[in-house]
Amino acid sequence: MRRRRSLVAVSAVLGGVLMLSACNDGGGDKSQGSSEAGKSQAEVDAAAAKDASKARIAITPKDGSTNVPLNDGTNVAVSDGTLTKVELKSSDGAAVAGKIAADGKSWKPDAALKRSTKYALAATAKDESGKEAHENASFTTLSPENSFVGSFVPEEGETVGVGMPVSITFNKPIKDQKAVQAAISVSSSSGQEVVGHWFGNQRLDFRPEQYWQANSTVTLKLALQGVQGAPGIVGAQNKTVTFKVGRSQVSTVDVKAKTMTVTRDGQVLKTIPISAGSPENPTYNGQMVISEKFKETRMDGSTVGFKNSEGKGEYDIKDVPHAMRLSTSGTFIHGNYWGADSIFGKVNTSHGCVGLNDAQGANDPNQPGAWFFDNSLIGDVVTVVNSPDKTIKPDNGLNGWNMPWAEWKAGPSA
């Protein structure tokens, strides 16, 4: 699921600060068999939403927020249910201690958060019947008014796929982009030439001409301390980050054939039947990089412009299994337990995502959705071909590979 109408644009960096909404694949309840494939999309979405948890989780601050207060700026609340688990982690993986209230209705951290730090929060709740709901959010805390810092992915010590760019998001607009870029270097043990490209005035991505070489090491050096990014705004960050590139895995989704071929280090691992975007809501073409992974997450159509006549989301599935983000605008490749088995490999039914057959609860390792999730890294590439839609824009997610190398090196036009 993804975009289409009145999308919420969120910067695709530091991890994503990426919105957690997505698409819903149609097809019917598995228990009904292949006859469900004939149901309308609205009927399928309504049935799935009806069977979902009644618990409603609200996270403060909103996903993608910046300049979040260090004290009392973060909390979780739930209605029609109780919280069972809340995890808050900083970008370096450090867990933040917090407590769920005695009545199970709220959560907050035990102490103030760190300045200029990216955090990721994941919350789980259950309704009175025991059905789970999930909500996730990412945000960045405030920094001093007269300074700027960059949030970045990948992070120290990570192992990522060959398509993962170095993507830096600055917490303030950068006017002197030349000076700031000169204070940043990215190098690879492979010896590949690495070049930076600006998307707007707050995002700077680095990549080589072709994907990173498998099993190489990449080093990012930030020497921003004292660099003037804009009048009266100077850098406050010196940092060196090293990450590893793992095996080479590129998966090709053929929308027309309704299959996905997973290739690792030049050898085909598996061909998986899929259900991509419907003719009304086709999937983007192009090279897309997995930027986030969630064993289970909520997908609400209202957050990406899919609303019914009452203004509510056309779908609201709180336990979508094995979801992996491919774009800022809401394109995911994910498991689908509500679609009939017969749609996979046969019919494209989704709102733009790529759906794989899966089981509710995300606990069946034999399902295609679980297999692909377990065998994928953040930074792996999913290339979509033969879709009637256009090619995804390079800045919609971590998808700069869709820009020609000459254009990438030339930089944005004045």
Side-chain angles (χ1 to χ4, degrees):
M1 58 211 65
R2 70 177 193 302
R3 67 230 198 268
R4 273 297 179 273
R5 307 183 290 277
S6 62
L7 302 182
V8 178
V10 182
S11 176
V13 238
L14 181 51
V17 182
L18 301 180
M19 202 170 79
L20 279 180
S21 24
C23 64
N24 170 37
D25 295 298
D29 190 312
K30 288 186 183 298
S31 63
Q32 300 299 315
S34 61
S35 63
E36 290 293 335
K39 282 193 173 183
S40 71
Q41 187 69 46
E43 288 176 314
V44 173
D45 293 336
K50 183 178 180 181
D51 191 50
S53 174
K54 294 180 180 179
R56 302 280 177 174
I57 302 171
I59 295 176
T60 303
K62 292 182 178 179
D63 185 52
S65 295
T66 58
N67 293 321
V68 174
L70 307 183
N71 295 286
D72 302 320
T74 305
N75 61 74
V76 181
V78 64
S79 58
D80 296 324
T82 56
L83 291 169
T84 57
K85 185 177 181 180
V86 178
E87 290 185 337
L88 179 63
K89 292 183 178 181
S90 62
S91 57
D92 61 4
V96 177
K99 291 185 178 66
I100 296 176
D103 62 359
K105 297 295 184 181
S106 63
W107 176 95
K108 63 180 181 180
D110 290 341
L113 304 184
K114 295 180 180 179
R115 184 181 299 274
S116 304
T117 301
K118 161 77 185 308
Y119 287 92
L121 193 154
T124 301
K126 286 185 177 180
D127 63 14
E128 60 183 5
S129 66
K131 293 180 180 178
E132 288 191 338
H134 304 268
E135 197 79 47
N136 298 271
S138 304
F139 58 89
T140 305
T141 52
L142 58 78
S143 60
E145 288 296 322
N146 63 342
S147 67
F148 74 90
V149 295
S151 300
F152 52 84
V153 290
E155 294 161 5
E156 172 65 33
E158 277 196 277
T159 297
V160 298
V162 295
M164 188 69 183
V166 173
S167 189
I168 306 168
T169 299
F170 299 100
N171 65 331
K172 290 183 174 65
I174 302 299
K175 186 173 183 179
D176 193 343
Q177 295 181 352
K178 184 176 180 180
V180 170
Q181 186 168 341
I184 301 171
S185 68
V186 179
S187 60
S188 172
S189 62
S190 67
Q192 291 172 277
E193 179 187 13
V194 184
V195 177
H197 184 92
W198 288 87
F199 293 110
N201 59 12
Q202 288 186 255
R203 175 179 169 183
L204 174 61
D205 285 13
F206 289 84
R207 70 169 178 91
E209 181 176 5
Q210 304 298 328
Y211 300 141
W212 303 106
Q213 288 188 15
N215 306 310
S216 57
T217 299
V218 180
T219 301
L220 163 66
K221 292 185 179 180
L222 299 169
L224 298 172
Q225 188 76 41
V227 175
Q228 183 165 292
I233 306 296
V234 298
Q237 186 180 30
N238 286 341
K239 193 174 186 67
T240 298
V241 177
T242 300
F243 63 91
K244 302 288 186 181
V245 177
R247 76 290 178 276
S248 175
Q249 180 166 302
V250 178
S251 301
T252 301
V253 172
D254 188 326
V255 172
K256 186 175 181 180
K258 303 171 187 66
T259 60
M260 178 173 68
T261 301
V262 182
T263 302
R264 181 179 294 177
D265 296 327
Q267 301 296 317
V268 174
L269 282 185
K270 188 183 285 283
T271 298
I272 302 172
I274 59 94
S275 182
S278 67
E280 297 77 18
N281 300 293
T283 305
Y284 283 125
N285 285 295
Q287 302 166 81
M288 302 182 220
V289 174
I290 295 173
S291 59
E292 292 183 292
K293 294 179 64 179
F294 303 100
K295 185 176 180 182
E296 291 181 283
T297 194
R298 176 187 178 188
M299 293 186 175
D300 181 356
S302 67
T303 62
V304 287
F306 290 109
K307 297 181 181 181
N308 59 25
S309 59
E310 298 177 349
K312 297 181 180 180
E314 292 181 8
Y315 53 83
D316 187 2
I317 313 302
K318 300 182 180 68
D319 59 351
V320 177
H322 300 123
M324 292 177 281
R325 181 181 289 280
L326 299 178
S327 79
T328 310
S329 60
T331 308
F332 279 72
I333 183 166
H334 63 76
N336 176 342
Y337 66 79
W338 54 91
D341 293 340
S342 59
I343 69 170
F344 300 100
K346 300 294 183 181
V347 186
N348 290 322
T349 60
S350 83
H351 283 79
C353 289
V354 177
L356 310 178
N357 207 349
D358 212 333
Q360 188 170 19
N363 291 318
D364 185 350
N366 297 314
Q367 293 292 326
W371 182 90
F372 188 64
F373 185 89
D374 292 341
N375 282 276
S376 295
L377 295 173
I378 286 178
D380 282 348
V381 180
V382 177
T383 299
V384 177
V385 298
N386 294 328
S387 173
D389 205 0
K390 60 188 177 182
T391 298
I392 193 167
K393 291 183 177 180
D395 60 345
N396 186 359
L398 302 177
N399 298 325
W401 304 104
N402 295 287
M403 180 181 290
W405 183 238
E407 184 179 347
W408 182 274
K409 293 181 72 174
S413 58

